[in-house]
Amino acid sequence: MTEHTLTVAGVAVDTRHWIGGERVASAETFTDVSPIDGSVLGEISRGTAAEADLAVAAAKAAFPAWAATSRAERARILHAVADGVEKRIEDLAIVETTDNGALLRSHRRGVMPRVAHNFRFFADWLLKLDHEDFETRGHTNHVSWDPAGPSVLITPWNAPLMLSTWKVAPALAAGNTVVRKPAEWTPLTASLLADIAAEAGLPAGVLNIVQGYGSEIGDALTSHPDVRRISFTGSVPTAQRITQSAAANLTPLSLELGGKSPLLVFADADLDLAVDLAVEQYDNAGQVCLAATRVLVEETVAEEFTRRFAEKAAAVVQGDPRDEATDIGPNIHERQLEKIDGFVRRAVEAGARAVVGGHRGEGRYYAPTLLTDVAQDSEIVQEEVFGPVLTLQTFTTEDEAVQLANDTRFGLAATLATGDRDRAARVTQRLVAGTVWVNCFFVRDLQAPFGGSRHSGVGREGGTWSFDFYCDLKNTVTAPKGWKDHG
């Protein structure tokens, strides 16, 4: 091991940036801490504007050759990256669990295999990306997707590698070069991905990884005049700063932001299914932007729903995420834990009642919580908590349910539990949300558009929508005459 390497459960991770195909150290570092037990994992190179400039320059230099690389060759390399991910699923799983506290069993069985799938999906989609030519008064129109250029991708800490590859994979497939900045609380699997990509044959400078704080390196990246695309997943306040930073260069943005999604439970629903869906919102300690944290239940079944929910929630096992028996791990950071606890304390002081939980546990664990007696205009109902905290409100009519569901500034997702197909059709049509699940939750196909309405985001990811963002779409119109015969 070297001074720039740390070890997590036997897995070596380089703590330096990855720029232009080389490891680059910074003069300063920041400390990476595991949320599981508060142990220090290591010191990570802390980038500044200097590293931002270096990474963008590397991406700019590598762009012409990568953009000119054939679709087939780009797809081949992305499949090789997926092969590399699959070979290192165990390494990636244990490192990410240690770094962000999510369940090891989920990383092994679902998340890391999905990372590989993300690369394969966009590699394959690239090869079939096409728009049929069409005629205009005898002229031929041909639509093409041209690589846009260096892209800055700023990714979150709640599912660091998987969420980042929803961006990295289509950006690379499109022919763009990438500068990725992982969240400073979870930098480690980004470094491992750089190793995997290099081993897969991705040319130097096509993928660059820079680490650090948003205020020190993020602003330099998002305001850089050589950046052609910016994609960000995170909070609304950070997105507002990024938008201002990118405005001077009119850099196109894709923003996947917060949510305050509703779960509507009608009296005709399968109540056991509805309870299961509600308890599922505690997944990843509630650190899921899509989580349906506002449970809206028809008044006639609210008492029975609450009783069953409390029984089901009591069986949820909270503990070390490396333990197979654990259902919920820790929250990411002491700062986040204090934020969650503050939301709950203020809600209780305002008259809310904690039917389940409502308090901190030991370390960085917060008890799964359900609050009732909350007002629609209260902070706990209107603002994203990003922790294992749900609210429960009742409604008496379909119109009231829809009104409550839509009455926030967000519009990321919604979940609906009903046994009536006609009602499902009526209600889903009226909900303001980028994704609506009916009698299910978190089923996502990369062919589908993903994103939010209102303050939940700008743009859509997935399938052709991703390529529409990462490319400059061009229409070429060709006349039927004017050609010389060179026979």
Side-chain angles (χ1 to χ4, degrees), residues 370-403:
L370 177 67
L371 300 175
T372 61
D373 301 332
V374 293
Q376 178 63 22
D377 61 354
S378 63
E379 177 192 55
I380 196 69
V381 169
Q382 293 293 325
E383 298 300 325
E384 185 177 43
V385 177
F386 220 62
V389 178
L390 310 181
T391 60
L392 188 147
Q393 298 167 270
T394 62
F395 61 86
T396 57
T397 67
E398 191 174 293
D399 285 344
E400 184 185 8
V402 172
Q403 189 274 326

Side-chain angles (χ1 to χ4, degrees), residues 461-478:
E461 297 177 333
T464 302
W465 290 276
S466 287
F467 287 95
D468 287 348
F469 173 69
Y470 288 111
C471 292
D472 288 324
L473 268 72
K474 178 190 294 177
N475 185 44
T476 301
V477 184
T478 303

Side-chain angles (χ1 to χ4, degrees), residues 417-474:
T418 179
D420 186 330
R421 291 180 183 274
D422 291 337
R423 167 174 279 146
R426 288 194 306 271
V427 173
T428 55
Q429 186 176 22
R430 297 173 64 189
L431 293 174
V432 178
T435 301
V436 180
W437 286 287
V438 180
N439 294 331
C440 60
F441 177 65
F442 212 18
V443 178
R444 171 152 191 231
D445 192 307
L446 285 176
Q447 297 180 76
F450 177 78
S453 304
R454 298 175 175 168
H455 281 205
S456 286
V458 175
R460 294 293 184 268
E461 297 177 333
T464 302
W465 290 276
S466 287
F467 287 95
D468 287 348
F469 173 69
Y470 288 111
C471 292
D472 288 324
L473 268 72
K474 178 190 294 177

Side-chain angles (χ1 to χ4, degrees), residues 229-348:
R229 293 291 186 274
I230 298 170
S231 183
F232 168 75
T233 297
S235 71
V236 172
T238 301
Q240 290 169 332
R241 290 196 297 272
I242 289 173
T243 301
Q244 292 171 351
S245 183
N249 301 308
L250 296 178
T251 309
L253 294 163
S254 174
L255 304 172
E256 198 272 278
L257 309 177
K260 196 67 182 176
S261 302
L263 164 58
L264 291 79
V265 179
F266 287 91
D268 57 26
D270 178 330
L271 213 55
D272 286 333
L273 170 63
V275 168
D276 287 345
L277 291 172
V279 174
E280 192 176 351
Q281 308 310 312
Y282 291 136
D283 183 49
N284 201 23
Q287 298 168 146
V288 178
C289 58
L290 295 162
T293 56
R294 295 185 297 128
V295 184
L296 309 175
V297 185
E298 193 163 352
E299 193 172 79
T300 56
V301 295
E303 183 177 346
E304 179 63 15
F305 175 91
T306 304
R307 184 187 67 78
R308 295 192 199 183
F309 179 92
E311 289 179 356
K312 186 85 174 179
V316 170
V317 178
Q318 188 170 33
D320 191 321
R322 296 165 295 192
D323 189 329
E324 281 281 319
T326 297
D327 298 311
I328 301 177
N331 289 97
I332 185 70
H333 194 277
E334 180 62 28
R335 196 163 78 209
Q336 184 67 16
L337 200 67
E338 291 173 357
K339 175 185 172 185
I340 295 165
D341 192 46
F343 270 110
V344 173
R345 284 188 290 101
R346 290 190 297 274
V348 171

Side-chain angles (χ1 to χ4, degrees), residues 33-39 94 96-102 319-322 330-332 362-365:
V33 176
S34 174
I36 299 173
D37 55 12
S39 61
I94 190 60
E96 187 125 299
T97 289
T98 306
D99 207 17
N100 90 323
D320 191 321
R322 296 165 295 192
N331 289 97
I332 185 70
E362 295 183 5
R364 292 185 179 173
Y365 294 82

Side-chain angles (χ1 to χ4, degrees), residues 99-253:
D99 207 17
N100 90 323
L103 299 184
L104 179 57
R105 71 171 192 243
S106 295
H107 280 141
R108 283 173 171 159
R109 300 169 193 170
V111 176
M112 295 310 163
R114 184 60 184 262
V115 169
H117 170 72
N118 291 345
F119 281 104
R120 296 197 194 283
F121 173 88
F122 285 107
D124 293 341
W125 199 268
L126 169 67
L127 297 180
K128 62 182 180 182
L129 186 66
D130 191 27
H131 190 295
E132 185 177 349
D133 289 354
F134 56 96
E135 298 293 319
T136 303
R137 299 190 300 278
H139 296 63
T140 301
N141 292 264
H142 175 75
V143 177
S144 58
W145 285 260
D146 293 353
S151 302
V152 166
L153 312 179
I154 302 175
T155 56
W157 46 259
N158 57 324
L161 190 56
M162 196 270 286
L163 292 182
S164 76
T165 55
W166 284 356
K167 303 177 187 297
V168 172
L172 295 179
N176 291 0
T177 50
V178 165
V179 179
R180 178 192 166 199
K181 194 200 89 65
E184 60 267 25
W185 288 348
T186 55
L188 300 186
T189 51
S191 181
L192 293 179
L193 180 62
D195 295 335
I196 291 169
E199 292 168 6
L202 193 70
V206 173
L207 173 64
N208 305 275
I209 308 291
V210 290
Q211 303 149 157
Y213 298 113
S215 59
E216 296 177 351
I217 192 170
D219 291 345
L221 290 170
T222 56
S223 64
H224 203 291
D226 290 332
V227 170
R228 295 292 176 260
R229 293 291 186 274
I230 298 170
S231 183
F232 168 75
T233 297
S235 71
V236 172
T238 301
Q240 290 169 332
R241 290 196 297 272
I242 289 173
T243 301
Q244 292 171 351
S245 183
N249 301 308
L250 296 178
T251 309
L253 294 163

